[in-house]
């Protein structure tokens, strides 16, 4: 994993828990040294009891060593348990929560360009994997704690072995380094298999999420069986990847155990040979045997942790890529809140393109007075909706091109801009919450009486009595329990509650039947009073009460004027009018 991902992560998140982390870091060497002192004093005991006879002084020394060891083991055990408790509950647990919160917040900051390149299912899979891979987050903390204790313990044992016989310490050190280098190579092989497995799992998760969100399409096209077969193939690929990964892990674990057995056996034989030549005493042999076994366990655990860490790290990298991804649309460093006074909107020489091949808006100039109602029409792809997206900064709006009450919208905060605009899209999307909660999205401060008044003005009260629980009725995912016209009326009620000076309409009636459109039109006429309105529409009936119509073609203004003026002109507007008539 690249350091440019790991280091910012460590710096950002572990710094938040620096106090407990410092405690754990300092506790590590103490625990490690104490763990090595125990076998060192065991060797002293062995040397004492190996004597032919013990005088009173030797018995006293033996008693003191035993008492000290009991106290040492007790204190080390308490400190170890405390260190692991602090790491798990004061470091890893809060970090896991912080990461998931930041991941979700980061995703919600994304704009249109991001969602055009990434499926919601795949993105959610990555966020969800931060829960499923708590072990991956934990492995960093555990590696830090365990490696700290292990490395310090290894250095302590190396020091004591060197005190006994330094050539053995040299062999001990070189063999340990070679072993860990081999373990690292095994971990890299496992990591590749885990990467493939995680990519396939994310793909399947994305497919299932996409199928669930489009279940209606599966039904009406009778494609459920075909989609399930395709999903089965992907699940089979995931299964094979999991089997390969499991086989690699087991094989690597076997290789680790075999290598460590060879290492431990060789070192034990070496110690026995030194004892047989009377180069070390029996107590030293006991310490070396204990140290070798301890080091073997340390290397084994380090190897297993490292192999697991490397195999899980791809999931972690996916999360970090999201966390470290650039936010496409940022507030300027000196951005201030938008001060909305009159509601004037001006487009100055606006040029915008989603890609270099074809511009979406070209040299667009339009000045809209406070309270003026402007309708925008044009064929599909003429740039109408793009204009609304640019005004709301849902895409990267060029500087010095769009102004509200004389303020460049790229120089104000996005929150203040969005609060200043009321928007009714072609299809209002609702949360799977109660009708009342969905209405309150227009104004979270609104009381129930205000919500009901907005519902009355938008003709929602026409259908509320027929809902099972009235305003408390859950409307389903995206408002599926309501008709298109009913959802649009909720959108209008939200705009009424929001009560902004500027109102944006994007094909607000295009998908409705004539009865629903009648209700919507009546609601809109109440809503647009005393507001600056920019309405994009295909149905010219929606624009009949506009002060001015702007006709767009290929991102440019083709003609503009009042409906009567444009009809008399017999241009593009008149042709569209005659087609719809």
């Amino acid at each position: 994993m690249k350091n440019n991902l790991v280091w910012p992560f460590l710096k950002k998140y572990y710094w938040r828990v620096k106090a407990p982390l410092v405690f754990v870091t300092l506790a590590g060497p103490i625990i490690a040294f104490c763990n090595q002192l125990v076998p060192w004093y065991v060797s002293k005991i062995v040397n004492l009891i190996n004597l032919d006879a013990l005088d009173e002084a030797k018995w006293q020394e033996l008693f003191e060593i035993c008492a000290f060891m009991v106290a040492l083991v007790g204190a080390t055990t308490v400190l170890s348990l405390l260190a692991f408790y602090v790491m798990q509950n004061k470091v890893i647990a809060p970090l896991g929560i912080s990461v998931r919160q930041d991941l979700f917040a980061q995703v919600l900051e994304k704009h249109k360009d991001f969602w055009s390149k990434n499926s919601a299912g795949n993105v959610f899979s990555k966020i969800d994997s931060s829960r499923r891979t708590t072990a991956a987050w934990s492995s960093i903390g555990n590696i830090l704690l365990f490696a700290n204790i292990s490395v310090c313990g290894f250095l302590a044992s190396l020091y004591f072995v060197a005190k006994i016989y330094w050539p053995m310490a040299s062999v001990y050190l070189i063999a340990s380094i070679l072993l860990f280098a081999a373990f690292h190579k095994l971990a890299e092989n496992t990591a590749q298999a885990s990467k493939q497995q995680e990519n396939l799992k994310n793909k399947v998760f994305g497919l299932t999420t996409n199928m669930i969100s489009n279940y209606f399409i599966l039904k009406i096209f009778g494609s459920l069986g075909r989609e399930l077969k395709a999903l089965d193939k992907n699940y089979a690929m995931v299964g094979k990847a999991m089997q390969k990964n499991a086989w690699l892990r087991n094989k690597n674990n076997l290789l680790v155990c075999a290598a460590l057995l060879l290492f431990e056996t060789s070192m034990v034989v070496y110690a026995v040979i030194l004892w047989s030549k009377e180069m070390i005493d029996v107590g030293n042999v006991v310490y070396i045997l204990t140290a070798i076994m301890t080091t073997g366990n340390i290397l084994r655990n380090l190897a297993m942790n490292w192999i697991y860490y490397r195999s899980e790290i791809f999931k972690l990298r996916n999360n970090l890529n999201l966390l470290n991804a650039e936010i496409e649309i940022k507030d300027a460093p000196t951005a201030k809140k938008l001060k909305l006074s009159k509601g004037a909107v001006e487009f100055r020489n606006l040029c915008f393109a989603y890609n270099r091949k074809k511009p979406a808006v070209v040299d667009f100039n339009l000045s809209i007075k406070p309270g003026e109602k402007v309708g925008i029409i044009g064929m599909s792809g003429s740039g109408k909706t793009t204009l609304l997206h640019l005004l709301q900064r849902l895409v990267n709006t060029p500087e010095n091109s769009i102004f509200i009450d004389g303020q460049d919208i790229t120089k104000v905060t996005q929150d203040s801009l969005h609060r200043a605009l009321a928007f009714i899209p072609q299809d209002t999307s609702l949360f799977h919450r109660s009708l009342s909660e969905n209405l309150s999205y227009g104004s979270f401060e609104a009381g129930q009486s205000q919500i009901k008044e907005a519902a009355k003005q938008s003709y929602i009260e026409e259908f509320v009595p027929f809902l099972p629980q009235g305003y408390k009725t859950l409307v389903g995912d995206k408002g599926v329990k309501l008709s298109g016209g009913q959802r649009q009326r909720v959108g209008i009620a939200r705009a009424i509650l929001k009560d902004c000076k500027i109102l944006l309409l994007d094909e607000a009636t295009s998908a409705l039947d004539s009865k629903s459109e009648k209700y919507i039109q009546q609601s809109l006429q109440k809503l647009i009073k005393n507001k600056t309105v920019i309405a994009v529409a295909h149905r010219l009936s929606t624009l009949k009460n506009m002060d001015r119509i702007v006709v767009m073609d290929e991102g440019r203004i083709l003609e503009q004027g009042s409906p009567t003026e444009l009809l008399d002109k017999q241009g593009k507007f008149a042709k569209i009018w005659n087609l719809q008539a």
Side-chain angles (χ1 to χ4, degrees):
M1 186 173 179
K2 297 178 181 178
N3 290 331
N4 63 344
L5 287 178
V6 175
W7 175 243
F9 168 77
L10 293 176
K11 184 179 178 182
K12 179 177 180 180
Y13 290 100
Y14 280 86
W15 188 252
R16 296 179 182 179
V17 288
K18 53 184 179 294
L21 198 58
V22 167
F23 166 77
V24 171
T25 304
L26 294 177
I30 298 172
I31 295 168
F33 189 74
C34 290
N35 284 337
Q36 291 302 318
L37 274 179
V38 173
W40 180 256
Y41 280 106
V42 167
S43 70
K44 300 298 182 185
I45 292 173
V46 170
N47 282 334
L48 283 172
I49 63 177
N50 196 45
L51 297 174
D52 293 333
L54 292 178
D55 57 24
E56 187 176 345
K58 295 297 183 184
W59 276 109
Q60 180 66 26
E61 184 181 352
L62 183 61
F63 174 78
E64 290 175 355
I65 290 174
C66 290
F68 178 75
M69 280 182 57
V70 170
L72 185 64
V73 169
T76 305
T77 302
V78 170
L79 185 58
S80 298
L81 291 173
L82 182 60
F84 277 99
Y85 171 82
V86 169
M87 176 58 78
Q88 290 293 331
N89 295 281
K90 302 298 181 181
V91 176
I92 292 172
L95 285 187
I97 295 171
S98 295
V99 167
R100 293 200 74 205
Q101 288 175 331
D102 285 2
L103 275 170
F104 192 64
Q106 185 85 335
V107 166
L108 292 182
E109 289 283 346
K110 300 297 181 184
H111 287 74
K112 187 177 178 182
D113 289 346
F114 175 83
W115 293 110
S116 67
K117 299 172 185 174
N118 296 273
S119 74
N122 204 335
V123 171
F124 182 72
S125 175
K126 292 178 180 179
I127 296 174
D128 186 61
S129 72
S130 68
R131 174 185 60 81
R132 291 185 291 108
T133 58
T134 301
W137 301 108
S138 300
S139 65
I140 290 184
N142 288 335
I143 284 282
L144 287 173
L145 176 58
F146 184 75
N148 184 22
I149 294 174
S150 299
V151 171
C152 291
F154 174 76
L155 293 175
S157 68
L158 190 66
Y159 165 75
F160 286 120
V161 172
K163 283 185 68 175
I164 295 169
Y165 189 67
W166 72 263
M168 172 173 267
S170 301
V171 175
Y172 183 38
L173 175 61
I174 293 169
S176 299
I177 292 172
L178 291 175
L179 278 172
F180 195 78
F183 298 157
H184 176 69
K185 187 66 177 177
L186 293 177
E188 289 300 313
N189 294 336
T190 310
Q192 292 302 316
S194 291
K195 178 179 179 180
Q196 182 184 13
Q197 175 185 317
E198 186 63 17
N199 279 332
L200 288 170
K201 285 172 70 176
N202 282 340
K203 181 181 177 182
V204 168
F205 194 95
L207 287 172
T208 53
T209 304
N210 193 248
M211 286 172 63
I212 290 169
S213 62
N214 291 284
Y215 76 95
F216 184 67
I217 301 296
L218 301 183
K219 290 289 186 182
I220 63 174
F221 283 94
S223 59
L224 181 60
R226 183 174 64 85
E227 292 289 346
L228 287 176
K229 284 182 181 178
L231 192 62
D232 285 343
K233 289 181 181 179
N234 283 283
Y235 269 121
M237 292 171 66
V238 171
K240 288 180 180 179
M242 292 175 71
Q243 289 173 359
K244 179 182 177 182
N245 199 6
W247 180 82
L248 271 176
R249 288 194 186 199
N250 288 328
K251 184 190 77 170
N252 289 343
N253 290 344
L254 182 62
L255 290 173
V256 167
C257 291
L260 287 172
L261 180 62
L262 179 62
F263 165 73
E264 291 168 355
T265 304
S266 301
M267 295 301 293
V268 168
V269 170
Y270 188 12
V272 171
I273 291 172
L274 290 175
W275 171 76
S276 67
K277 294 182 178 182
E278 298 183 350
M279 298 175 72
I280 60 176
D281 58 35
V282 68
N284 295 146
V285 173
V286 170
Y287 175 77
I288 290 171
L289 293 179
T290 307
I292 294 303
M293 294 303 173
T294 302
T295 302
N297 286 330
I298 288 173
L299 290 174
R300 183 179 292 105
N301 288 330
L302 275 176
M304 299 303 184
N305 272 280
W306 188 248
I307 289 172
Y308 182 76
Y309 170 79
R310 294 297 301 172
S311 65
E312 291 291 311
I313 206 65
F314 181 72
K315 301 173 188 178
L316 187 58
R317 175 182 269 178
N318 274 340
N319 297 153
L320 295 183
N321 280 329
L322 276 179
L323 282 170
N324 289 284
E326 285 289 326
I327 297 174
E328 298 93 337
I329 304 173
K330 298 179 180 178
D331 287 341
T334 57
K336 299 179 180 178
K337 290 184 178 180
L338 177 66
K339 296 179 180 178
L340 192 62
S341 55
K342 299 178 180 179
V345 179
E346 185 180 3
F347 299 88
R348 296 181 193 170
N349 303 316
L350 174 61
C351 294
F352 177 78
Y354 291 106
N355 55 60
R356 296 179 180 178
K357 294 182 180 179
K358 185 180 179 181
V361 179
V362 183
D363 295 328
F364 191 90
N365 289 278
L366 181 66
S367 181
I368 302 173
K369 299 174 183 177
E372 188 178 10
K373 281 72 176 165
V374 175
I376 300 178
I377 68 167
M379 304 302 289
S380 296
S382 60
K384 308 181 301 296
T385 298
T386 298
L387 207 63
L388 296 186
H389 287 168
L390 287 164
L391 181 55
Q392 296 173 88
R393 292 194 69 195
L394 299 180
V395 291
N396 256 320
T397 306
E399 293 183 7
N400 301 313
S401 57
I402 302 180
F403 297 82
I404 294 178
D405 284 342
Q407 301 160 82
D408 182 357
I409 64 169
T410 64
K411 302 294 193 302
V412 301
T413 63
Q414 293 176 69
D415 277 349
S416 66
L417 173 66
H418 296 151
R419 291 178 192 278
L421 305 173
F423 176 60
I424 303 176
Q426 181 176 355
D427 184 16
T428 299
S429 185
L430 307 180
F431 292 98
H432 182 43
R433 301 174 188 173
S434 70
L435 175 61
S436 181
E437 287 176 293
N438 276 285
L439 289 169
S440 70
Y441 247 76
S443 173
F444 296 114
E445 293 78 26
Q448 198 62 31
S449 60
Q450 292 170 292
I451 289 174
K452 288 186 176 181
E453 179 59 30
K456 181 179 179 181
Q457 292 181 38
S458 56
Y459 297 94
I460 286 175
E461 288 200 339
E462 296 280 338
F463 65 82
V464 169
F466 300 100
L467 297 177
Q469 293 178 287
Y471 284 97
K472 294 182 179 179
T473 302
L474 294 175
V475 299
D477 186 35
K478 297 182 181 180
V480 69
K481 291 184 179 180
L482 303 181
S483 69
Q486 290 170 340
R487 289 197 298 271
Q488 285 303 83
R489 284 184 246 180
V490 173
I492 291 172
R494 285 174 172 175
I496 292 171
L497 286 167
K498 196 172 183 183
D499 192 25
C500 298
K501 291 182 181 295
I502 300 173
L503 173 65
L504 310 179
L505 306 173
D506 187 10
E507 307 283 5
T509 64
S510 64
L512 304 178
D513 58 81
S514 56
K515 183 179 180 181
S516 295
E517 184 183 6
K518 178 183 176 183
Y519 278 122
I520 300 300
Q521 290 287 10
Q522 290 172 344
S523 302
L524 288 175
Q525 291 311 307
K526 297 177 182 179
L527 178 60
I528 66 176
K529 288 181 180 179
N530 303 316
K531 297 184 187 300
T532 302
V533 178
I534 302 176
V536 167
H538 278 114
R539 288 188 182 182
L540 298 187
S541 57
T542 307
L543 308 177
K544 61 185 179 181
N545 294 313
M546 296 292 109
D547 300 319
R548 186 166 30 139
I549 303 293
V550 174
V551 183
M552 291 186 67
D553 185 46
E554 295 186 350
R556 293 179 170 85
I557 294 179
L558 195 63
E559 56 188 19
Q560 61 177 305
S562 68
T564 304
E565 290 171 346
L566 293 178
L567 282 173
D568 293 340
K569 190 176 180 181
Q570 290 298 304
K572 186 75 172 180
F573 177 80
K575 289 181 181 179
I576 297 173
W577 179 276
N578 291 330
L579 282 172
Q580 292 193 14

